[in-house]
Amino acid sequence: EAAVTQSPRSKVAVTGGKVTLSCHQTNNHDYMYWYRQDTGHGLRLIHYSYVADSTEKGDIPDGYKASRPSQENFSLILELASLSQTAVYFCASSDATGTNSDYTFGSGTRLLVI
Amino acid sequence: KTQVEQSPQSLVVRQGENCVLQCNYSVTPDNHLRWFKQDTGKGLVSLTVLVHENDKTSNGRYSATLDKDAKHSTLHITATLLDDTATYICVVGDRGSALGRLHFGAGTQLIVIP
């Protein structure tokens, strides 16, 4: 079954530390995305990628880097974690971005920065 | 500025009752609109996609409408079940091309009680 798997499921990080969130998809999708979800707000796009070895900035990229080493894997990197980056992070993949696109979301990574 | 507003913020219904969730948006252009279901601690699962002016879709006990002139959509859930307890998220896609972005509402939290 096609899926998007995120790891870890949850993490506690220290302010100023480095955090890497991983995402793996078995959908054979070209597009992959990283979103953050804050309580009471809609998901916001951090970074996305439409091909391996290339990433694009989303709407809120500051403080985050992304890496797409292969079609299946997409990582989100917080070089210097800050308190404001406490949130739930979702990875998603899609075969396209239009009306007939098939979007699959991971179960999320709950990050707490202390 | 929030471009996708959902109401109510939360809703409690008894099992077997019907309910209606609202979505108003200001996204332009509005290529398509999606409804997702998010169970607690899980990723988003697509329920339906609406594309055209005055579109209506049906997926089992879920049905949805779209009024592009009014920039408004509704999600109807008929004969609710306990498993319908979740957050329902309205998402507007701003174009059908590879540059298309998804704009997420904050969701309506539905609780179904026995």
Side-chain angles (χ1 to χ4, degrees), chain A residues 9 31 33 35 37 40-45 48 50 57-59 90 97-108 110, chain B residues 2 9 31-32 34 36 38 41-46 49-51 89 95-107:
Chain A
R9 283 283 279 149
Y31 294 83
Y33 312 84
Y35 292 93
Q37 185 178 44
H41 294 85
L43 272 69
R44 291 181 291 169
L45 181 64
Y48 66 100
Y50 52 85
K57 292 180 180 179
D59 299 320
F90 285 96
T97 64
T99 56
N100 295 319
S101 304
D102 173 28
Y103 284 89
T104 306
F105 283 79
S107 296
R110 191 172 296 272
Chain B
T2 303
Q9 197 169 3
N31 178 267
H32 63 278
R34 300 170 182 266
F36 286 90
Q38 184 181 23
K42 304 286 189 184
L44 283 68
V45 175
S46 181
V49 179
L50 301 115
V51 178
I89 299 176
R95 55 179 65 86
S97 72
L99 298 177
R101 294 287 183 87
L102 298 182
H103 301 262
F104 291 77

